[in-house]
Amino acid sequence: MELSELITLFKEQFNRDPQVLAEAPGRVNLLGEHTDYNDGFVFPAAIDRSMKILASSRDDNDVRVYSADFSQLSSFSLSSIEACRSETWSNYLRGVADQLIKNGFSIRGGDFLISGNVPVGAGLSSSAAYEVAAGAAFREMYELKMDNIQLALLSQAAERQFVGVQCGIMDQFVSANAKAATALFLDCRDLTYQNIPLKTNVSIIVCDSDVQRALNNSAYNNRRTECEKAAKILNEKFPGARALRDIPLQGVEENKAKLGETLYKRAHHVVSENERVLMGIDILRKGDMHTFGNLLFESHSSLKNSFEVSCPELDLLVELASGCSGILGSRMTGAGFGGCTVSLVESGHAENFKTTVQPEYDRRTGKNSRIYECMPSSGVKAQKL
Ligand code: GLA
C-alpha cells in the first residue's frame, strides 16, 4: 500500500494524524545458514520489501495496533503485556514493547498501523522486519537512546519470548544494520560486521516454493539443541570451545564415532558452512562470482544432506536453477522446511531464469511459486512526519 493510503487509514482508525514512520526490510541470506546460533558467521542482504509502521504517541499506557493487511485491530496495556491468541500478528509489537520495558526504556503507549510487502511464512524474515520497525517506531516517538545493535538484540529477544522461536541474531541484525547495494558479513559471536559491496551485474532471485514453513514448529529448536549437544561432546576434546564455531572440520571428522551419525552430520554442516562464509567473503572481494556461486550450491547440499532442513520442493528449485544459462549459484535460504531459494544469476539471464524455472516448477509440483528479483537494500529507517 502507498504511504498516502496508509496515512488515510491511520486517520480513519485512530481519528488523529500519525507522528512517525518507521520502515524495516526483510532479508535474504546468501551464505551461512544455521550458523548464527552457533556463534558463527552469516552473510545476508536486506531486500527491497519491508514492513512499514505509522505511529503516534499516547499519554497513557494503552497500545492500539491496526494491521492494514489483516484489517484487524488489537489492543493491550503496557502494564500487563501478554501474548495474544487471536490476533497473533500483534505479538511482535507486544514482544518489542515488553522488551523495551524490561530493558529499562521509558515508554508510554501508542497508536500503530502496520503494513508490509514481505511475504509472510516464506523465510524472508517478515517477523524480524516487523519487530525492528516496531522498535524503531518506539525509539523515534520517545527519543530512546538505543543504537541499531541494541535494537536488533531487543527484537530478537521479543521473537524468542513472545513467538517461541529460539532464533539467532541474523534476521533482526541485518534488518537493522544493512546498507544498500551490499550484503552484511556478521560475526554472530561479537556482533562485529562489515557491509560488503555486491556486484551490480549479478541478479539476486528469490523463488518462493509455496511450501509454507512453520518456523515455530519444533524442528528449528530441535536443530539448535542438537548443535548444542554436539558442541558439548566436542568440548571434551577442545576444552576452550564454547560453540561449534570453535571446532575445526578435522575435529568433527576425528570425533565422528563419539558424536554418532546425527550429531556428526549437524556439526559437519555448521563447521563447513562457517568455512564457506569466510571463503566466500575472500572470493567476493576478488570479484570471482563463479566460485562464490559454487559455494551456494555446496551450502545447499550440506543443508539437504547433513543438516536435513531442505525439502523436495526446494531441492527441485535448486536443480532447475542449476540448469539455467547464466546461473552462478543457488540454494535454500532461511531456516528451511519450505520457504524460498536464493539464486545468483548473471543479470542478462535473469528474465530467462524466471520464465524457465517458475512454470517448470509449478508444472511438476502443482504449486504456485512466486519469483522476486531482489535489490540489496538499506536497513531500518525512521522519521518524524
Ligand atoms: C531463521 C532464524 C535465524 C537463522 C536462520 C537459519 O531465519 O531466525 O536466526 O537461524 O533461520 O540460518
Side-chain angles (χ1 to χ4, degrees):
M1 248 185 249
E2 289 301 315
L3 183 58
S4 55
E5 291 173 77
L6 293 176
I7 292 179
T8 309
L9 205 50
F10 187 98
K11 287 182 185 165
E12 269 170 32
Q13 279 302 316
F14 302 117
N15 283 321
R16 54 194 299 216
D17 291 329
Q19 298 163 343
V20 159
L21 166 68
E23 182 171 3
R27 64 99 188 91
V28 60
N29 189 15
L30 299 181
L31 213 49
E33 215 65 85
H34 289 277
T35 46
D36 61 352
Y37 54 84
N38 292 295
D39 276 5
F41 305 101
V42 292
F43 192 48
I47 58 175
D48 48 342
R49 288 178 167 260
S50 63
M51 299 298 293
K52 283 196 181 83
I53 296 192
L54 288 171
S56 277
S57 60
R58 295 174 61 97
D59 48 21
D60 57 19
N61 278 339
D62 293 345
V63 174
R64 300 185 293 178
V65 51
Y66 183 77
S67 162
D69 305 324
F70 292 107
S71 304
Q72 280 178 352
L73 181 73
S74 184
S75 309
F76 61 97
S77 163
L78 292 179
S79 3
S80 74
I81 306 178
E82 274 167 29
C84 177
R85 286 175 191 214
S86 42
E87 292 94 34
T88 48
W89 53 266
S90 72
N91 286 333
Y92 303 103
L93 185 79
R94 289 166 191 257
V96 168
D98 189 53
Q99 281 302 320
L100 286 168
I101 293 169
K102 287 193 171 127
N103 282 276
F105 287 103
S106 161
I107 56 166
R108 304 302 304 271
D111 294 327
F112 296 84
L113 179 137
I114 65 162
S115 172
N117 63 355
V118 187
V120 172
L124 299 175
S125 296
S126 57
S127 58
Y130 182 178
E131 289 145 8
V132 171
F138 272 111
R139 177 171 68 183
E140 191 70 24
M141 248 174 4
Y142 291 111
E143 300 189 343
L144 309 177
K145 299 246 164 314
M146 180 201 328
D147 66 18
N148 280 346
I149 295 187
Q150 199 176 3
L151 172 60
L153 286 166
L154 206 132
S155 303
Q156 178 201 24
E159 170 107 16
R160 285 187 178 197
Q161 268 200 1
F162 264 71
V163 192
V165 185
Q166 293 307 307
C167 66
I169 187 64
M170 168 169 71
D171 306 343
Q172 291 82 5
F173 199 96
V174 66
S175 184
N177 295 291
K179 282 210 164 64
T182 66
L184 187 146
F185 170 40
L186 172 66
D187 179 336
C188 298
R189 171 166 279 164
D190 63 11
L191 302 186
T192 50
Y193 69 99
Q194 291 170 52
N195 303 99
I196 312 259
L198 292 172
K199 292 255 176 248
T200 48
N201 57 354
V202 172
S203 297
I204 301 174
I205 301 182
V206 168
C207 304
D208 184 344
S209 64
D210 189 30
V211 176
Q212 279 275 322
R213 178 205 55 116
L215 188 59
N216 47 359
N217 69 19
S218 54
Y220 180 90
N221 293 345
N222 231 339
R223 290 296 183 283
R224 205 185 157 116
T225 312
E226 287 172 341
C227 289
E228 279 157 13
K229 280 190 190 151
K232 207 161 172 204
I233 293 172
L234 290 165
N235 173 272
E236 290 168 23
K237 296 277 168 162
F238 298 87
R242 286 192 277 143
L244 284 179
R245 185 257 180 80
D246 301 307
I247 313 287
L249 198 53
Q250 205 190 336
V252 177
E253 296 296 356
E254 285 167 3
N255 291 284
K256 187 171 177 176
K258 229 172 174 239
L259 287 165
E261 183 67 14
T262 302
L263 296 189
Y264 162 76
K265 290 205 297 196
R266 306 299 186 248
H268 192 281
H269 166 73
V270 172
V271 174
S272 65
E273 184 79 350
N274 273 331
E275 284 187 353
R276 279 186 284 276
V277 177
L278 296 177
M279 232 186 296
I281 300 296
D282 250 20
I283 290 167
L284 207 61
R285 287 204 165 106
K286 291 177 191 141
D288 179 359
M289 289 310 292
H290 285 275
T291 313
F292 184 78
N294 273 332
L295 292 174
L296 268 71
F297 284 127
E298 282 174 27
S299 171
H300 185 78
S301 303
S302 179
L303 286 157
K304 175 184 172 196
N305 301 317
S306 300
F307 215 65
E308 297 177 288
V309 290
S310 187
C311 63
E313 291 85 355
L314 292 172
D315 296 341
L316 177 61
L317 280 171
V318 170
E319 187 196 313
L320 294 174
S322 71
C324 286
S325 58
I327 183 76
L328 297 163
S330 183
R331 66 177 199 87
M332 55 153 272
T333 183
F337 315 107
C340 296
T341 60
V342 58
S343 304
L344 299 180
V345 184
E346 288 169 2
S347 293
H349 296 266
E351 262 332 290
N352 175 58
F353 178 97
K354 292 186 217 166
T355 51
T356 311
V357 172
Q358 189 171 26
E360 186 57 14
Y361 173 82
D362 289 1
R363 192 184 66 76
R364 289 215 219 165
T365 57
K367 299 261 172 214
N368 278 316
S369 64
R370 280 164 295 267
I371 292 209
Y372 315 100
E373 192 167 340
C374 295
M375 296 300 290
S377 302
S378 61
V380 67
K381 288 181 275 211
Q383 65 183 90
K384 299 219 164 46
L385 292 172

